[in-house]
Amino acid sequence: RRFSIPITVPDENGEVMMYNEKDFSLPTHCILHGDNGDIWIPCCCNLPTLKTYTSDRTYVGKTKYVCDEYLCVPKLRTYDANDNPMYMIRPETCCAGCCPVCGTGCDKGSQCCYLPFYIHDHSTMQIVAGAPGGKGMPAQIRNVWAGFKRECCTSADN
């Protein structure tokens, strides 16, 4: 389904910094329920694309879900306003690139299991260095397990 999300400054004023918008698209996978269990089938057409705009609605670029031969590894590619590829966002893999590798490690106040999506330079596929103050960590987006109740019993996605 379509949506538009304003991204705001996290303070009391909540000024809009940018917008992310998505038109209608198909899901990234379908599930067939059978007598012997469920079958997960990736979809590779009309996949989600997120368009990004500045606060004054100037088009900045887009992020597209990628479908390739490694169907079990979720991947996103970002493009600038001229449709030039910029970054590949994906987890690290094992098993000859077929399976994502979960991150582990329990810091005080954090979850122990997460799926880090590293930001790779599109040309070299090298992981981009994190920002200053990032404690030496590479640039990444983390999908953190929120616990059984929240993950399995609600529609919350963060």
Side-chain angles (χ1 to χ4, degrees), residues 54-156:
T54 62
S55 60
D56 66 354
R57 297 291 184 170
T58 302
Y59 178 66
V60 175
K62 64 185 174 187
T63 304
K64 294 178 73 170
Y65 194 89
V66 176
C67 185
D68 61 14
E69 65 273 15
Y70 303 109
L71 299 174
C72 294
V73 180
K75 296 166 285 299
L76 300 162
R77 183 170 289 127
T78 64
Y79 299 84
D80 66 14
N82 296 318
D83 222 19
N84 298 311
M86 304 269 307
Y87 300 103
M88 174 70 83
I89 304 169
R90 66 173 179 79
E92 291 300 284
T93 60
C94 62
C95 302
C98 296
C99 298
V101 175
C102 289
T104 58
C106 296
D107 296 332
K108 186 175 181 175
S110 70
Q111 270 54 3
C112 294
C113 185
Y114 58 90
L115 183 61
F117 284 72
Y118 293 101
I119 301 172
H120 297 79
D121 179 271
H122 174 74
S123 301
T124 64
M125 289 307 291
Q126 296 296 314
I127 295 175
V128 175
K135 301 177 185 170
M137 296 177 67
Q140 61 185 286
I141 300 167
R142 287 188 180 187
N143 186 5
V144 179
W145 171 258
F148 180 79
K149 182 178 176 184
R150 184 169 182 135
E151 295 283 346
C152 300
C153 301
T154 70
S155 61

